[in-house]
């Protein structure tokens, strides 16, 4: 590993533990990390984890543990396991996560996945597999939805992913090229990444403050293929960048993050919306989605690719057919500017205005963390086992804020904020 790479990796680890997780002395940390037979244990990824673990202990962490996951084992299962066995799930892994999270400890997820892993597999089995995951993961996703712990999702370069992104580069250069891109979009290559992050977070804070003061009753989104009105619940809250755990620790759930987001009113979305980037979901890509809404509910949904998985996903539960999030991202964000499609929703959603099918975050409604599921729905929130973000923004999208008297004000023009 060359000197410059090693230095950037060190800075990345620093941003992850200090800005992302904001680890506190006395906390425990659980890390979920990728490994695979074809990739080998990615050497740089292992190095990154060692740096993170070292820094975590130096910050006073009581215990740090890593759960390695080999995604190719999933492919082997799809190709060989009995077809009626996909409702099985290794629940103990989720129990371990729950154990760590319920006491307010920290959780780090490192993504490094092959976008084409399940490309050839039966969509029905993919849906079964996802359903089992959502079912068993519910206790953990409930904790996440109310910020019971500080958690962060980051990405790491692995061979299969880099091969997909840079097929035209010589094979030995691809992994490093993807690391370079990750460092760039995560502000690691700036002079002082911590300072850069703090000023970026301040900018997101300002945008939220502006929109929270405006307290629009709704949003109107217009672009080719999209004409959508999303009403917002009365006490909606715009959030972005920093979040706070139930016991007061500030953290950043996603690195990178460029979005500010809030919650649509469950029953008040009308019109048509089209996706502008492929959605990597459950090991396959869903592309060219068009959804039509009436009274908040999807009444028509199609996808040019991955349609079967989309249809099955919408049937997971009632809430899967309603929206849980609307997020605004300027078209000029560093990820969008890179011009690269990452085939990774964590990154791609931060390149674009997006909406999410399924569960809304309770923190998106004032006092929501303390609401029961029923109270949350009465306040306009949506509950579901799923929360799937998909990208609808572009350099052609206009967004207006709708005021209580139905007059409108511009929020974004051609994909950029106007305030
Ligand atoms: Zn989002
Ligand atoms: Zn989301």
């Amino acid at each position: 590993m060359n000197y410059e790479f090693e230095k950037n990796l060190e800075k990345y680890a620093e941003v992850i533990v200090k800005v992302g997780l904001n680890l506190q002395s006395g906390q425990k940390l659980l890390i979920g990390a990728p490994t695979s037979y074809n990739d080998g244990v990615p050497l740089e990824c292992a190095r990154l984890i060692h740096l993170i673990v070292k820094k975590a202990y130096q910050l006073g962490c009581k215990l740090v543990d890593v759960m390695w996951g080999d995604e190719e084992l999933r492919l082997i299962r799809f190709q060989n396991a009995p077809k009626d066995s996909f409702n099985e799930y290794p629940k103990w892994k989720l129990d371990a996560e729950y154990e760590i999270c319920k006491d307010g400890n920290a959780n780090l997820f490192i993504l490094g996945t092959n976008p084409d892993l399940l490309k050839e597999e039966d969509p029905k089995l993919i849906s079964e597999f996802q359903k089992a995951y959502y079912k068993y993961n519910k206790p953990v996703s409930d904790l996440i939805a109310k910020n019971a712990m500080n958690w962060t999702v980051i990405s790491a370069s692995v061979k299969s992913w880099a091969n997909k992104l840079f097929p035209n580069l010589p094979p030995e250069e691809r992994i490093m090229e993807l690391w370079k891109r990750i460092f760039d979009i995560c502000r690691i290559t700036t002079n002082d990444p911590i300072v850069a992050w703090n000023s970026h977070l301040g900018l997101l804070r300002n945008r939220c403050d502006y929109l929270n003061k405006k307290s629009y009753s709704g949003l109107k989104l217009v672009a080719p293929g999209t004409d959508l009105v999303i009403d917002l619940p009365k006490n909606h809250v715009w959030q972005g960048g920093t979040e706070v755990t139930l016991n007061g620790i500030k953290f950043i759930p996603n690195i990178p993050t460029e979005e500010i987001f809030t919650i649509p009113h469950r029953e008040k979305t009308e019109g048509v919306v089209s996706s502008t980037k492929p959605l990597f979901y459950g090991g396959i890509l869903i592309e060219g989605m068009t959804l039509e809404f009436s009274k908040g509910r999807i009444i028509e949904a199609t996808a040019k690719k991955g349609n079967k998985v989309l249809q099955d996903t919408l049937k997971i539960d009632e809430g899967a057919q309603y929206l849980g999030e609307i997020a605004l991202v300027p078209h000029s964000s560093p990820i969008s500017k890179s011009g690269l499609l990452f085939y990774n929703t964590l990154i791609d959603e931060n390149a674009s205005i997006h909406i999410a099918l399924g569960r809304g975050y309770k923190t998106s409604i004032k006092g929501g963390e303390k609401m029961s599921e029923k109270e949350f729905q009465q306040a306009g929130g949506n509950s579901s086992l799923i929360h799937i973000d998909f990208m609808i923004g572009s350099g052609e999208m206009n967004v207006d804020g709708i005021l209580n008297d139905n007059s409108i004000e511009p929020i974004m023009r051609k994909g950029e904020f106007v305030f």
Side-chain angles (χ1 to χ4, degrees):
M1 276 176 238
N2 73 38
Y3 176 68
E4 197 194 330
F5 174 77
E6 179 75 8
K7 245 176 58 186
N8 282 333
L9 206 62
E10 172 107 37
K11 287 200 237 169
Y12 193 32
E14 185 96 352
V15 165
I16 292 161
V17 297
K18 288 197 177 152
V19 184
L21 291 168
N22 186 18
L23 279 175
Q24 305 290 308
S25 173
Q27 278 198 303
K28 293 180 190 172
L29 169 63
L30 180 64
I31 302 173
T35 168
S36 76
Y37 174 73
N38 276 338
D39 275 324
V41 174
L43 192 63
E44 302 81 8
C45 183
R47 176 83 187 117
L48 172 68
I49 289 167
H50 285 200
L51 288 168
I52 291 170
V53 173
K54 187 171 149 193
K55 284 177 193 293
Y57 281 126
Q58 287 170 349
L59 285 168
C61 264
K62 274 201 297 204
L63 186 65
V64 186
D65 207 359
V66 181
M67 229 182 334
W68 296 96
D70 178 349
E71 64 174 7
E72 272 153 52
L73 295 177
R74 197 191 304 177
L75 181 59
I76 294 171
R77 182 178 176 194
F78 271 84
Q79 291 171 338
N80 298 280
K83 301 274 180 256
D84 61 358
S85 65
F86 281 74
N87 55 349
E88 298 283 341
Y89 201 89
K91 185 173 167 292
W92 67 270
K93 286 188 180 171
L94 301 170
D95 289 346
E97 222 177 288
Y98 181 78
E99 195 55 38
I100 280 281
C101 297
K102 77 172 185 351
D103 298 326
N105 290 298
N107 207 343
L108 176 67
F109 309 86
I110 303 180
L111 296 182
T113 44
N114 176 3
D116 289 330
L117 185 74
L118 301 178
K119 200 167 82 177
E120 310 292 338
E121 304 314 309
D122 181 356
K124 205 177 139 244
L125 295 186
I126 295 175
S127 298
E128 279 286 304
F129 173 86
Q130 285 292 342
K131 221 165 123 182
Y133 166 74
Y134 287 126
K135 189 175 122 196
Y136 288 113
N137 192 48
K138 187 167 188 310
V140 175
S141 61
D142 285 349
L143 291 179
I144 289 178
K146 56 181 183 194
N147 283 347
M149 71 287 192
N150 38 341
W151 57 278
T152 303
V153 191
I154 62 149
S155 37
S157 172
V158 296
K159 206 201 288 177
S160 50
W161 184 19
N163 284 347
K164 169 87 178 172
L165 293 189
F166 307 110
N168 299 325
L169 284 183
E172 67 279 8
E173 289 176 19
R174 292 173 190 168
I175 284 198
M176 275 302 150
E177 181 62 26
L178 180 50
W179 274 116
K180 233 173 86 191
R181 302 293 187 123
I182 291 173
F183 290 152
D184 278 342
I185 59 177
C186 295
R187 300 176 162 80
I188 300 305
T189 43
T190 53
N191 266 345
D192 186 335
I194 306 262
V195 171
W197 267 97
N198 285 334
S199 91
H200 174 55
L201 293 170
L203 182 72
L204 295 179
R205 184 72 262 149
N206 289 345
R207 286 181 187 148
C208 290
D209 288 349
Y210 177 89
L211 290 174
N212 282 330
K213 234 174 251 156
K214 286 281 180 186
S215 191
Y216 290 118
S217 67
L219 304 171
K220 185 172 167 60
L221 289 75
V222 179
T226 294
D227 192 345
L228 195 69
V229 173
I230 297 175
D231 276 9
L232 303 173
K234 218 169 159 210
N235 290 316
H236 69 272
V237 180
W238 285 93
Q239 297 163 270
T242 310
E243 301 210 13
V244 185
T245 66
L246 290 177
N247 56 358
I249 303 169
K250 287 183 177 171
F251 71 101
I252 308 175
N254 295 344
I255 289 184
T257 183
E258 304 289 332
E259 65 173 323
I260 57 165
F261 67 94
T262 190
I263 192 166
H265 190 294
R266 175 184 154 88
E267 280 154 14
K268 296 183 182 173
T269 295
E270 302 283 338
V272 180
V273 65
S274 300
S275 66
T276 49
K277 287 173 193 284
L279 162 65
F280 174 62
Y281 172 72
I284 64 146
L285 290 166
I286 303 178
E287 293 181 59
M289 259 195 284
T290 304
L291 306 177
E292 190 178 345
F293 291 85
S294 171
K295 297 196 176 95
R297 187 187 182 134
I298 295 172
I299 50 168
E300 175 101 45
T302 54
K304 290 191 180 122
K305 255 192 194 171
N307 190 44
K308 173 85 177 91
V309 172
L310 172 65
Q311 301 302 336
D312 287 343
T313 304
L314 295 176
K315 284 183 212 136
I316 281 186
D317 56 23
E318 172 77 7
Q321 295 152 42
Y322 294 83
L323 294 181
E325 178 189 333
I326 161 78
L328 303 180
V329 181
H331 188 62
S332 60
S333 85
I335 301 163
S336 182
K337 257 201 239 157
S338 79
L340 195 65
L341 182 69
F342 284 85
Y343 297 100
N344 172 326
T345 305
L346 164 70
I347 299 178
D348 290 326
E349 72 164 353
N350 278 298
S352 170
I353 295 173
H354 57 267
I355 50 183
L357 297 175
R359 185 181 64 249
Y361 289 102
K362 287 192 164 168
T363 48
S364 296
I365 293 183
K366 234 175 259 167
E369 300 94 319
K370 295 191 182 84
M371 288 178 186
S372 68
E373 226 44 56
K374 206 174 156 202
E375 289 166 332
F376 181 57
Q377 286 195 13
Q378 276 164 355
N382 187 33
S383 311
S384 169
L385 288 174
I386 66 163
H387 175 100
I388 302 171
D389 297 286
F390 66 98
M391 288 64 83
I392 60 169
S394 68
E396 294 175 282
M397 181 164 269
N398 292 338
V399 181
D400 289 320
I402 305 169
L403 290 153
N404 277 327
D405 64 0
N406 270 334
S407 61
I408 57 167
E409 290 177 354
I411 296 176
M412 298 178 96
R413 284 292 173 267
K414 291 192 187 301
E416 299 303 324
F417 283 102
V418 294
F419 56 81

